[in-house]
Amino acid sequence: QKEVEQDPGPLSVPEGAIVSLNCTYSNSAFQYFMWYRQYSRKGPELLMYTYSSGNKEDGRFTAQVDKSSKYISLFIRDSQPSDSATYLCVPYNFNKFYFGSGTKLNVKP
Amino acid sequence: GAGVSQSPRYKVAKRGQDVALRCDPISGHVSLFWYQQALGQGPEFLTYFQNEAQLDKSGLPSDRFFAERPEGSVSTLKIQRTQQEDSAVYLCASSSPGQGVTEAFFGQGTRLTVV
């Protein structure tokens, strides 16, 4: 079983839609949960992160962690074509980033 | 430079050839990571350095893979006797120490194709 499971998509939505990206993880020791965004042929870049359970909002993006069910979500409001990328959920523990396989998002104008 | 720099960007190697991939981290960053990203997959951990010390090499897939960071700055990932299954993007990331988690800044990667 992989440490992090993520639906690979692709997910295609119209501009302005609300997007929900999710993943599950297996290691209950994870405390930090990150979302990285990766554009084609680029390295991943940090979008936001949360500590333990709860919500965190940053502009159009909201990250949500439910440690009891080991479930991580990222919501994107008013999605834009520039949001088209692969989104990777990444629990972090002891100097190791555990990447999911990523969900490819396409926002159509 | 402003970000993590990796070279070469693209490398084609014949099966059995040795390759060396270079990573220039952000100046002053203590931590350095190497990841392997197969097509359509998320990055997989290879190894981690703190300054010149390789603290974790548990992700290196075989003894053909070797990484070093002799002066605590530039790092090189070497793959000996390359195989087709080594074809992937190799990503380097660096971060500075801090409380809890710190952001890792990734380079654009080296795309290795073994033919």
Side-chain angles (χ1 to χ4, degrees):
Chain A
Q1 184 190 6
K2 293 195 75 172
E3 299 262 17
V4 184
E5 298 281 356
Q6 192 173 3
D7 187 336
L11 182 62
S12 189
V13 301
E15 183 175 355
I18 296 174
V19 176
S20 172
L21 304 170
N22 310 290
C23 62
T24 59
Y25 63 94
S26 57
N27 189 343
S28 57
F30 289 145
Q31 293 286 350
Y32 291 94
F33 303 90
M34 304 172 150
W35 282 95
Y36 272 77
R37 179 173 60 192
Q38 188 173 25
Y39 291 108
S40 181
R41 298 188 179 271
K42 300 286 188 184
E45 56 181 5
L46 180 67
L47 197 56
M48 59 194 302
Y49 75 89
T50 56
Y51 173 72
S52 196
S53 283
N55 293 0
K56 186 173 183 179
E57 191 173 316
D58 184 359
R60 297 184 293 110
F61 298 86
T62 300
Q64 200 171 73
V65 176
D66 182 347
K67 289 195 71 181
S68 63
S69 58
K70 299 191 182 73
Y71 196 79
I72 309 166
S73 300
L74 178 71
F75 300 96
I76 307 174
R77 289 182 298 282
D78 187 26
S79 56
Q80 303 294 309
S82 58
D83 296 330
S84 298
T86 296
Y87 290 80
L88 300 144
C89 69
V90 192
Y92 170 89
N93 204 33
F94 296 118
N95 297 310
K96 204 177 280 189
F97 298 85
Y98 296 84
F99 283 85
S101 57
T103 299
K104 190 167 185 178
L105 172 66
N106 180 36
V107 181
K108 298 173 291 185
Chain B
V4 177
S5 178
Q6 291 187 246
S7 59
R9 284 293 315 277
Y10 303 92
K11 176 70 179 178
V12 178
K14 290 185 178 178
R15 193 159 57 96
Q17 190 178 356
D18 297 350
V19 297
L21 313 180
R22 178 187 168 104
C23 173
D24 277 271
I26 293 172
S27 178
H29 276 191
V30 166
S31 300
L32 186 143
F33 308 83
W34 282 99
Y35 279 78
Q36 180 190 58
Q37 187 171 24
L39 189 64
Q41 299 296 314
E44 297 274 349
F45 173 80
L46 292 177
T47 187
Y48 161 67
F49 289 86
Q50 192 169 90
N51 294 305
E52 67 278 5
Q54 189 174 19
L55 299 186
D56 188 342
K57 54 182 181 179
S58 61
L60 296 177
S62 77
D63 58 8
R64 296 186 295 104
F65 286 71
F66 173 76
E68 61 183 4
R69 194 186 185 197
E71 295 176 1
S73 178
V74 171
S75 177
T76 304
L77 176 68
K78 297 179 180 178
I79 309 173
Q80 297 177 321
R81 304 181 303 281
T82 52
Q83 304 294 315
Q84 282 194 315
E85 62 263 28
D86 300 335
S87 296
V89 174
Y90 290 85
L91 293 164
C92 175
S94 70
S95 69
S96 57
Q99 297 274 338
V101 69
T102 57
E103 178 177 357
F105 295 85
F106 282 82
Q108 293 197 71
T110 294
R111 183 177 296 272
L112 173 65
T113 304
V114 181
V115 297

